[in-house]
Amino acid sequence: MNDTSPTRAEREARLEGMGCSRRRTEDARFIQGKGNYVDDLKLPNMLFGDFVRSPYAHARIKKIDVSKAAALPGVKAVLTANELKPVKLDWMPTLAGDVQAVLAGDKVLFQNQEVAFVIAEDRYIAADAVELVEVEYEDLPVVIDPFKAMDANAPVLREDLKGKTEGAHGKRKHWNHIFNWEIGDQAAADAALNSAEVKIKELISYQRVHPSPLETCACVASMDKVRGELTVWGTFQAPHVVRTVAALLSGITEQKIHVIAPDIGGGFGNKVGVYPGYVCSIVGSIVLGVPIKWVEDRIENLTATAFARDYHMTTELAATKDGRITGLKVHVLADHGAFDACADPSKWPAGFFNIVTGSYDIPAAHVSVDGVYTNKAPGGVAYRCSFRVTEAAYCIERAIDVLAKKLKMDPAELRLKNLIRAEQFPYKSALGWEYDSGNYHVAMRKVMDAVGYPKLREEQRQKREAFKRGETRELMGIGVAFFTEIVGAGPTKNCDILGIGMFDSCEIRVHPTGAVIARLGTKSQGQGHETTYGQIIATELGIPADSINIEEGNTDTAPYGLGTYGSRSTPVSGAATAVAARKIKAKAQKIAAHLLEVAEGDLEWDIDGFRVKGLPERTKSMKEIAWAAYNNVPPGMEHGLEAVNYYDPPNMTFPFGAYICVCDVDADTGYTKIRRFYALDDCGTRINPMIIEGQVHGGLTEAFGIAMGQEINYDETGNVVTGTFMDYFLPTAVETPVWETDFTVTPSPHHPIGAKGVGESPNVGGVPAFSNAVNDAFGHLDIGHIQMPHDGWRTWMAAKQAGLHK
């Protein structure tokens, strides 16, 4: 008789665990229009809030008259700073240690700052009432240029800080100065530069950009006055943190606050912080005793919620004549806008910018960062990156190309000469980080071989000759980038939010039938958490992924967690999930030994259960063990099969990648065509290759948008001139290039499953690859560094500067 029992491979395939390109479980509801977003929420007696916003970037508020608005039928209340002051809610703390005005009282500091909050029966009445609020302003001088913020004659922006010489991060040296942060060995870096055979110095600016999630920020606050309980639904990337902040601000005890993040249509860092709309909705609901909904429009999102970047990096590199880098020195001028509301949970005001040594073995380095106030919207979020890592990667990768040009050396070969070698890991950088693992040279060589790098350079040489002869008006550029990201925020020694350590959590319960529910402290905004966490558990516990449910975003049910941003979900929560599953597996082994009447040490794990060593026919599956956990456990053991883990990682993780971009620039129009883009990523252990592929495609598309056109731009009086998608570049399928992807696998030695994270990496590596390609197109001409974004106008101007226009 034939044995019909499944083979080992069939049992493993049935789990759909780690390494399987399993279809996303969450997609079933999204593609059928069954997602549950904040604006879908409809509660009895719900009212709607809308803001009166300042048309000025800097102005004193002389008078606010709300009488006409309050008299409009359907308007229930109009809040101003005067209503918030008695309950001390006119200002709120920021994640960076500053305070931010909830509603402007004495003066406004950026265009579209919140001045009053109208609450009405529907959003149309609220919008009409906003137009009826009369605000008398006295126009004040504006500071838009961060390089002029600390001029002797610059106006005082933050009058609430006037006279304060100390800030949250040390001494302030000007009334518009926020902090200075230094790290590294300045003497060693100066010595390397002073003795360098070759050195470069370049101002490398990373323009102000915006994450622009598909769904704007929104919340619904509902105060139950009978029970004294507040429930808030919102677009929160970190629901537990919002609950803690709400408790601190409102005085309501934390156990009586319920924060729920339903489906979120994209976050990219934009939904980490707390916005005035959240606070005003909560206050309105407490005062009126009914639910209040606030949903911002696209212009509000682009102009008033948190921006990213706006880093201006003066970069110096020292090297030998043969291309060995000996030192790095960077000074950053960081524009934080009107308030330091940087969504940065690290213990440093410039986040992880000290990863600026990149993937290179640089023996001496020093970084100094000065933060300043300007009349722009506040923020500083990790737009699809860890905290200031994208700025750091762009800085070093552009500087490497500038150095390669000065050395007349191929930029790929210069990188190969300076990359950290495999035998140097774990590698301690000159700025203090311990890189966990990597094989950089293998990755770089693999990409160069895949694209036929020498042939591309020969083609470029021939095209340049043809251009000189007038046979073509196209310039060919080849952009090389090699990046190391730092993710997994992370270790409590490095990161916290309002004093709360940056651990994360997972609670797993195995039911009697072998089905599983797992609850986590993170919150997906499209990353596929429901799929990947389930796959980790499937592999660890031998239970099929389709028998596992994942829940996030509800502070009533999930263990306390610090949320999802900076590619921390897999490095931190994925680890918590694996460790919680291993706790369950350890108990399951005791139960299996009891059932099989052997010692624990006589058992070994076999895909989906335990078997007796040497007697493979004697087994107990996890499904059988789960049933026994509720009726037949060893004497003295508690019934049930569940565990919780709070994971505080011992170190960050360091994914890396090698990217090559090939572009063609039309010298007469400035139009740039991306002919080819090849991206190799190493994120350690790969949980779901299909989801990784999707994450890389999405991140590269955002990198393309940033490098080739995105910028939040202001005129000299502080008016935002890129406040709609007509003016702010958001790539569609028409403009987006075709992506070629590849990978190597270098597991993290300290992570329970060796995973490093990948969601942010393509944005980190993609931006310098695009910029290097455009700059390389002009590389044979007498023209310096071309600043981003590389839209048609700027690229045309670069061609004009190079003398290419007749």
Side-chain angles (χ1 to χ4, degrees), residues 58 107 109 154-159 162 175-176:
H58 193 201
K107 69 173 187 174
L109 289 166
V156 176
L157 301 187
R158 290 289 300 276
E159 292 180 356
K162 191 174 182 179
W175 49 85
N176 292 332

Side-chain angles (χ1 to χ4, degrees), residues 247-305:
L248 293 171
L249 289 174
S250 69
I252 301 170
T253 55
E254 198 162 357
Q255 87 279 8
K256 290 198 170 186
I257 299 176
H258 316 285
V259 175
I260 301 167
D263 290 324
I264 296 178
F268 314 117
N270 190 230
K271 296 169 181 173
V272 174
V274 174
Y275 293 116
Y278 305 160
V279 178
C280 290
S281 298
I282 291 170
V283 171
S285 185
I286 291 172
V287 171
L288 298 175
V290 295
I292 307 294
K293 177 186 282 191
W294 168 73
V295 180
E296 65 179 359
D297 65 27
R298 181 58 60 186
I299 292 176
E300 290 174 309
N301 183 258
L302 278 169
T303 60
T305 61

Side-chain angles (χ1 to χ4, degrees), residues 459-527:
E459 180 189 351
Q460 183 185 52
R461 187 193 65 79
Q462 292 178 8
K463 281 203 164 185
R464 285 176 175 175
E465 291 297 323
F467 189 92
K468 289 179 183 177
R469 295 192 299 266
E471 296 170 5
T472 179
R473 294 295 290 165
E474 277 194 343
L475 300 168
M476 179 180 172
I478 304 170
V480 180
F482 197 106
F483 67 93
T484 296
E485 208 198 345
I486 178 170
V487 303
T492 299
K493 62 185 178 183
N494 297 331
C495 307
D496 67 65
I497 293 182
L498 302 175
I500 301 169
M502 291 288 289
F503 58 84
D504 229 291
S505 57
C506 179
E507 175 192 88
I508 303 174
R509 294 182 179 179
V510 184
H511 300 309
T513 57
V516 174
I517 185 165
R519 297 183 171 102
L520 296 101
T522 48
K523 177 59 200 175
S524 177
Q525 309 107 48
Q527 296 94 332

Side-chain angles (χ1 to χ4, degrees), residues 94-378:
T94 72
L95 296 179
D98 199 358
V99 291
Q100 178 177 345
V102 175
L103 293 174
D106 298 323
K107 69 173 187 174
V108 294
L109 289 166
F110 63 94
Q111 189 183 57
N112 276 353
Q113 185 177 353
E114 300 85 354
V115 175
F117 189 67
V118 175
I119 301 171
E121 291 176 354
D122 64 45
R123 61 182 59 195
Y124 305 102
I125 295 174
D128 289 341
V130 162
E131 299 299 321
L132 297 177
V133 175
E134 297 176 350
V135 185
E136 184 181 339
Y137 296 98
E138 178 189 334
D139 205 0
L140 296 171
V142 172
V143 178
I144 292 300
D145 185 350
F147 288 92
K148 297 179 180 178
M150 292 194 290
D151 285 355
N153 61 348
V156 176
L157 301 187
R158 290 289 300 276
E159 292 180 356
D160 59 301
L161 301 178
K162 191 174 182 179
K164 291 187 178 181
T165 58
E166 291 281 337
H169 305 287
K171 289 191 177 298
R172 302 173 65 222
K173 51 191 179 185
H174 185 276
W175 49 85
N176 292 332
H177 186 242
I178 306 172
F179 64 84
N180 174 262
W181 177 61
E182 293 188 58
I183 193 166
D185 188 333
Q186 183 172 0
D190 284 340
L193 285 161
N194 291 335
S195 62
E197 295 175 337
V198 180
K199 57 186 175 182
I200 62 108
K201 184 175 183 179
E202 192 71 60
L203 173 62
I204 301 170
S205 290
Y206 200 134
Q207 74 275 15
R208 175 174 286 232
V209 294
H210 195 278
S212 309
L214 184 64
E215 178 191 26
T216 58
C217 296
C219 78
V220 174
S222 181
M223 182 69 192
D224 185 332
K225 291 195 171 184
V226 175
R227 301 175 64 183
E229 296 187 355
L230 172 69
T231 303
V232 184
W233 295 262
T235 51
F236 308 134
Q237 291 183 233
H240 284 95
V241 175
V242 172
R243 185 184 68 183
T244 300
V245 172
L248 293 171
L249 289 174
S250 69
I252 301 170
T253 55
E254 198 162 357
Q255 87 279 8
K256 290 198 170 186
I257 299 176
H258 316 285
V259 175
I260 301 167
D263 290 324
I264 296 178
F268 314 117
N270 190 230
K271 296 169 181 173
V272 174
V274 174
Y275 293 116
Y278 305 160
V279 178
C280 290
S281 298
I282 291 170
V283 171
S285 185
I286 291 172
V287 171
L288 298 175
V290 295
I292 307 294
K293 177 186 282 191
W294 168 73
V295 180
E296 65 179 359
D297 65 27
R298 181 58 60 186
I299 292 176
E300 290 174 309
N301 183 258
L302 278 169
T303 60
T305 61
F307 72 94
R309 321 301 191 240
D310 219 339
Y311 253 40
H312 307 276
M313 304 166 286
T314 301
T315 308
E316 298 177 80
L317 272 180
T320 61
K321 288 180 180 178
D322 65 352
R324 185 73 182 88
I325 299 172
T326 57
L328 169 69
K329 190 175 180 181
V330 183
H331 176 262
V332 179
L333 188 65
D335 187 339
H336 283 254
F339 308 100
D340 186 6
C342 187
D344 173 11
S346 81
K347 294 183 184 295
W348 307 293
F352 301 151
F353 187 79
N354 50 330
I355 194 75
V356 72
T357 53
S359 311
Y360 308 104
D361 184 17
I362 301 176
H366 180 260
V367 165
S368 175
V369 183
D370 281 297
V372 296
Y373 292 120
T374 61
N375 290 122
K376 300 177 185 175

Side-chain angles (χ1 to χ4, degrees), residues 451 453 456-457 459-460 463 475-480 659-665 672-678 737 740 769-770 773-774 776:
V451 300
Y453 188 76
L456 283 174
R457 286 296 179 192
E459 180 189 351
Q460 183 185 52
K463 281 203 164 185
L475 300 168
M476 179 180 172
I478 304 170
V480 180
Y659 293 177
I660 291 181
C661 173
V662 183
C663 75
D664 295 301
V665 176
T672 301
K673 177 183 178 182
I674 305 302
R675 189 202 310 177
R676 190 174 187 187
F677 198 103
Y678 200 98
E740 299 174 69
F770 286 116
V774 174
D776 184 66

